Amino acid sequence: MRRVEFYCTRGSPSFIFDGSTITSRGVGGAEYGFITVTEEMASRGWEVIVYNQPPNGAVKINSVQYIEVEKFDLQAKHDIFVLFRNPMPQITKVDARRRIFWSCDQFTEGNYQ
């Protein structure tokens, strides 16, 4: 099975969501697109893990696993790693076959050098 891991840097209030947030308090367009893409990937056979701030702790919704960002293992080998929206200071330490930065905002936050 192909595995993709999405990382949402801790700290931004917009990263407090999981797949059920769409029908509870609602989400912004970036988060809605994120949830839609991850659920579609899962429906096509990908193992999808999201490291963010799920509002009620770790949970699996629509075949997407949401896990607290602190549980991301920098020491592990990753297949596909997607950094979503904000910079990650330790990005160079992520051992991944592919590293992708996904920005869906007109202006991104932080330093990306």
Side-chain angles (χ1 to χ4, degrees):
M1 176 181 288
R2 300 167 296 184
R3 180 182 208 177
V4 59
E5 296 168 277
F6 292 85
Y7 186 93
C8 305
T9 306
R10 185 165 190 58
S12 175
S14 64
F15 292 146
I16 302 172
F17 70 89
D18 60 32
S20 69
T21 309
I22 292 173
T23 57
S24 58
R25 70 168 167 81
V27 294
E31 294 77 24
Y32 184 77
F34 180 92
I35 292 167
T36 302
V37 166
T38 56
E39 289 181 359
E40 183 61 26
M41 290 181 80
S43 77
R44 293 178 182 220
W46 286 79
E47 178 184 4
V48 179
I49 301 171
V50 174
Y51 294 93
N52 70 336
Q53 298 173 64
N56 299 306
V59 64
K60 191 170 200 172
I61 298 174
N62 296 326
S63 300
V64 175
Q65 182 70 50
Y66 293 87
I67 300 174
E68 295 86 354
V69 73
E70 295 83 10
K71 303 248 169 102
F72 180 77
D73 186 357
L74 264 176
Q75 307 306 312
K77 183 154 180 71
H78 306 276
D79 188 27
I80 299 173
F81 173 83
V82 181
L83 178 60
F84 183 68
R85 290 180 83 180
N86 292 342
M88 175 188 191
Q90 62 275 47
I91 186 72
T92 58
K93 296 179 183 174
V94 176
D95 184 5
R97 191 171 56 85
R98 293 274 187 261
R99 282 187 273 173
I100 299 167
F101 172 59
W102 177 9
S103 177
C104 47
D105 297 316
Q106 183 177 7
F107 298 101
T108 54
E109 174 183 306
N111 183 352
Y112 291 90
Q113 289 187 350

